[in-house]
Amino acid sequence: MKPVLLVIAHGSRDPRHAATVHALVRRVRSLRPDVRVETGFLDFNFPSVQGVLESLAAEGVRDVVALPLLLTRAFHAKADIPAVLRDAPPQLRIRQAEVLGPSPLLLSALERRLYEAGLTPADKSSTGVVLASAGSTDPEAIAVIADIAREWRHTGWCAVRPAFASAALPRTEDAVRELRALGCAKVAVAPYVLAPGFLPDRIARGAAEADVLAQVLGPAPEVARVLLRRYATASARVLLPVSA
């Protein structure tokens, strides 16, 4: 029997967050109807991760892949989620999958959102893009965003600059002005976030002087495909017995 896929989302007081998470999970289920997919939240929303794990154990489920619905490997992936999983019922065998990013499929999803917002492939060479993420105090996560921006620039955009809604600089509005100063004919903001909420709203406000603001990644098909790839990789990983 295939392991249950438990998608672990952060949670938010903003109802758009949970609605977007559930839309993504529905897309995942449609792509893999043979896999049971459940959703748990770390905070603010129900069901909680712990509650889902306890329910699965009570049903007799044994194998679970816990997949962090995160784009970078920052504090939640390194500390919060492992802590919750350590408190899971002991009869569950849990593999923690890798976070979603970085992935070429996510770059494709970002471009999808920019084209949906009005750009065309013909605009690439004259358009500067702000890759706007939520931000983190984790240097590894910040470095990953910078690397993604450099990689994306090589696909034909006029320029790509990283920006952060919190915890790091530059802010979205500063990156927009920098791209204007570079002489890009158009400036677009691509939110590198999965769901709406407080920080994505801050990104949107920072995009006021841009020509184009894309929507969050949300339930883009590319995101669902990355999620299923992470699930497949974790499912194939052999669980070693714990030494006494």
Side-chain angles (χ1 to χ4, degrees):
M1 183 178 294
K2 294 180 177 64
V4 171
L5 169 55
L6 172 58
V7 176
I8 300 178
H10 182 272
S12 171
R13 293 186 179 90
D14 190 321
R16 297 173 298 167
H17 174 90
T20 302
V21 170
H22 291 310
L24 174 59
V25 169
R26 285 194 297 272
R27 185 179 287 276
V28 171
R29 289 184 179 130
S30 72
L31 292 173
R32 285 293 303 273
D34 59 317
V35 174
R36 178 176 175 181
V37 187
E38 299 291 341
T39 309
F41 295 90
L42 291 173
D43 205 355
F44 302 116
N45 302 106
F46 291 99
S48 68
V49 176
Q50 188 66 29
V52 175
L53 291 171
E54 290 172 358
S55 295
L56 292 173
E59 289 179 34
V61 170
R62 289 297 174 263
D63 290 296
V64 176
V65 168
L67 192 148
L69 198 60
L70 301 167
L71 293 172
T72 58
R73 193 171 173 274
F75 182 79
H76 294 304
K78 293 177 179 179
D80 285 352
I81 291 174
V84 172
L85 298 180
R86 281 194 296 271
D87 290 336
Q91 61 266 46
L92 292 176
R93 295 186 293 260
I94 302 176
R95 299 167 175 87
Q96 182 176 332
E98 294 297 325
V99 298
L100 300 184
S103 168
L105 282 170
L106 294 178
L107 289 182
S108 297
L110 287 166
E111 294 206 1
R112 170 191 290 274
R113 293 300 188 227
L114 286 171
Y115 296 149
E116 290 170 351
L119 292 180
T120 70
D123 293 319
K124 286 188 78 167
S125 63
S126 60
T127 300
V129 179
V130 178
L131 179 68
S133 76
S136 173
T137 56
D138 189 308
E140 178 186 347
I142 297 302
V144 166
I145 299 300
D147 288 343
I148 293 169
R150 282 192 291 270
E151 179 183 348
W152 204 15
R153 164 68 182 85
H154 295 313
T155 66
W157 296 101
C158 174
V160 180
R161 293 290 185 271
F164 307 94
S166 67
L169 296 173
R171 294 287 183 257
T172 301
E173 52 269 34
D174 297 324
V176 168
R177 294 182 188 118
E178 181 186 350
L179 290 172
R180 288 274 187 231
L182 282 176
C184 298
K186 290 183 178 180
V187 176
V189 174
Y192 190 60
V193 292
L194 286 166
F198 177 74
L199 293 178
D201 283 350
R202 182 179 287 177
I203 289 171
R205 291 193 296 272
E209 296 179 17
D211 301 292
V212 173
L213 170 63
Q215 295 299 308
V216 299
L217 294 171
E222 297 87 353
V223 178
R225 287 165 58 198
V226 174
L227 198 152
L228 286 170
R229 287 186 181 183
R230 299 290 185 259
Y231 167 77
T233 299
S235 297
R237 196 165 63 236
V238 176
L239 280 175
L240 300 175
V242 178
S243 301

